[in-house]
Amino acid sequence: MKPTFQLLASHARFGAQCMAFSLVLLTLLMTGGCQAFLDHRLPPQTTAFASGLIAPLGLETDAKGQVWVTQAGSGTANDGQLSMITPQGEVWPVVTGFISQVTPEGAVFGLNHLLLQGTTLYLVHGVEGRLYTFDINSFQPGNPPVSAQSLAYEAVGEFVKAYSFVDDTNQTDLFNLTIGPQGDLFIVDAAANAIIRRNATTHALSVFATIPPLINPGVDTLEAVPTGIVFDGERFLVSNFTGYPYPGGRAVIYQYDLQGNESTYQQGLTTLTDIELDENRQPVVLEYGTWNGQGFTDNSGAIVRSTGQGNTRLLDGLNYPNAIKRSSANTYYIAQTFDGTIQKVTL
C-alpha cells in the first residue's frame, strides 16, 4: 500500500483517548489536553496562537514576526488558501481559491508546505504538482485576497511524473522544500520518494536523490514517504512518515551530502511529519502519532530532538501535528491540521 501523506491522515479521526505521562522525580506541567513535558530541564510553555483554520499544513515566518500558513481546505470546494497571521494572532486571507480535493477515504489533498526566500514565498501544491510564487510585500493586512489563478507557477509535478525512476511509483506529491547551495530549491516529493533540485538561476529541474524504502523485517517493505527537508550548511536532513502499517520506531532521519549520497542520521522514530533545525542546528522533528491498528491514537504526537547520539522527547500529547517552524531561539509554531489550530511552543 503506497498512500501519499494526506491519505494517511484520513485515519486520524479514529484515535483512542490519549494517555497520561509521568516522569520519576518530576512533576509534569500540563499545558492543555494531554500535553506533557518529557526529558527537559524546564517545562515547555504551550499557548494557542490561532484557530478556526481549514486544514493548516505549512508554516513560515517573516522578519516582522508574521506567520504565513497554507490551508489545504475542506476538499468539498476549492477553498485552499494562503493566510497571514499577525503576531497578535489575527488571521488574514492572502490568496484564495486553491484546488482542494477529497479522496473516498476522506483525506484532503491540496496545498502542502511553503518557504520564504527574501520576500518571495514558495508554495507547493500536491494535487496540481505546482510550485507557486508570491511576493509577501504585495500584501498588507486589510487588503482583499487575490486569486490563486493569478499566481505564477512552475509545473514541477510534470517533470517528476515524466522521470524514469528505478523504483517508479508513477505518482507525484510535492510536499516540502528548503534552500540549499547556490540558493537552489530542494523539494521532497512524498509520492515519488525523491528530492528534486531547482536551479535558482535557470529554474532547471533535476533529481538530486531518491529516498530508499524501509525494510520491515519479517513483514514487508515500506515506502519512505518523505515529509520534510532541511539544510544545515553541510548536509540535507530528510524526515519520513513510512508507509502502511506505519510501524512504531521505524521512521528514519536520512542525511544526504552535497553529491546526493544517502546515509542514516538517526532512527527509532515514528511517523515523522516535519523537520526543523534548533538554535544549535540540530534537527527537531514532529511525530504525527501512534497507529493502533484501526487509526492513529488521538494526542499521541510529539516533538523530538535528534542528535547523532540519540533522540530526546521534548513534548508529548500533540494532536496530529503536521508542521513545525522555529521563530526564535526556543520558540516554535506547530500546526495541528485536524484541530485547525496553530500552537506556540517555547522549549
Side-chain angles (χ1 to χ4, degrees):
M1 179 176 182
K2 172 59 180 72
T4 58
F5 170 66
Q6 287 99 330
L7 181 57
L8 310 181
S10 66
H11 301 286
R13 303 177 186 276
F14 302 102
Q17 295 297 317
C18 64
M19 300 174 66
F21 297 90
S22 62
L23 289 176
V24 178
L25 302 179
L26 183 66
T27 301
L28 301 181
L29 176 69
M30 302 307 294
T31 58
C34 294
Q35 292 179 349
F37 158 65
L38 293 181
D39 194 16
H40 201 278
R41 282 187 177 183
L42 297 174
Q45 303 293 318
T46 303
T47 57
F49 179 66
S51 61
L53 304 173
I54 305 176
L57 199 132
L59 296 172
E60 183 59 285
T61 57
D62 63 22
K64 298 179 181 178
Q66 300 172 143
V67 178
W68 299 80
V69 56
T70 52
Q71 298 178 68
S74 65
T76 59
N78 290 335
D79 54 358
Q81 68 178 53
L82 168 69
S83 299
M84 188 274 284
I85 309 175
T86 68
Q88 295 74 38
E90 299 173 297
V91 181
W92 294 90
V94 179
V95 184
T96 58
F98 286 100
I99 289 176
S100 179
Q101 296 180 356
V102 66
T103 70
E105 296 83 6
V108 176
F109 288 80
L111 278 175
N112 289 325
H113 286 264
L114 71 171
L115 173 73
L116 183 63
Q117 185 178 35
T119 64
T120 300
L121 200 61
Y122 293 97
L123 306 89
V124 286
H125 197 291
V127 171
E128 298 177 317
R130 292 178 176 180
L131 172 70
Y132 284 98
T133 56
F134 177 77
D135 186 348
I136 64 172
N137 281 345
S138 67
F139 179 80
Q140 296 295 326
N143 288 0
V146 300
S147 169
Q149 288 68 42
S150 69
L151 266 58
Y153 69 86
E154 298 166 39
V156 179
E158 292 182 7
F159 167 83
V160 174
K161 287 191 287 187
Y163 192 88
S164 296
F165 294 96
V166 173
D167 181 17
D168 206 331
T169 65
N170 298 309
Q171 299 178 54
T172 182
D173 184 14
L174 308 178
F175 198 75
N176 214 329
L177 64 171
T178 194
I179 302 169
Q182 290 81 54
D184 292 357
L185 293 182
F186 291 76
I187 307 168
V188 290
D189 192 305
N193 295 311
I195 303 173
I196 308 303
R197 183 171 189 167
R198 172 189 178 271
N199 185 282
T201 303
T202 66
H203 298 179
L205 300 172
S206 60
V207 174
F208 176 70
T210 56
I211 318 294
L214 300 168
I215 306 301
N216 196 21
V219 182
D220 52 17
T221 299
L222 308 174
E223 298 287 355
V225 192
T227 54
I229 182 170
V230 291
F231 180 61
D232 69 1
E234 298 180 354
R235 61 191 168 187
F236 294 92
L237 297 168
V238 176
S239 60
N240 71 72
F241 194 87
T242 70
Y244 180 85
Y246 328 119
R250 296 294 298 153
V252 172
I253 300 175
Y254 289 112
Q255 58 185 0
Y256 291 83
D257 65 20
L258 299 184
Q259 288 71 49
N261 299 309
E262 170 263 326
S263 59
T264 297
Y265 174 82
Q266 193 51 264
Q267 51 192 347
L269 298 152
T270 300
T271 57
L272 300 180
T273 53
D274 202 5
I275 185 170
E276 177 66 296
L277 296 176
D278 68 11
E279 70 276 16
N280 298 314
R281 306 196 71 76
Q282 294 176 327
V284 175
V285 292
L286 286 181
E287 291 188 337
Y288 184 70
T290 302
W291 178 257
N292 58 34
Q294 295 182 328
F296 288 96
T297 301
D298 291 345
N299 302 298
S300 61
I303 302 175
V304 181
R305 176 178 287 115
S306 289
T307 68
Q309 290 68 50
N311 301 314
T312 302
R313 301 180 73 81
L314 303 179
L315 181 66
D316 255 320
L318 296 174
N319 200 39
Y320 310 120
N322 268 329
I324 182 170
K325 175 63 183 180
R326 183 168 67 90
S327 64
S328 62
N330 298 306
T331 299
Y332 298 79
Y333 292 99
I334 308 293
Q336 298 186 136
T337 300
F338 291 101
D339 291 347
T341 62
I342 308 296
Q343 301 290 322
K344 189 174 184 178
V345 179
T346 301
L347 298 174

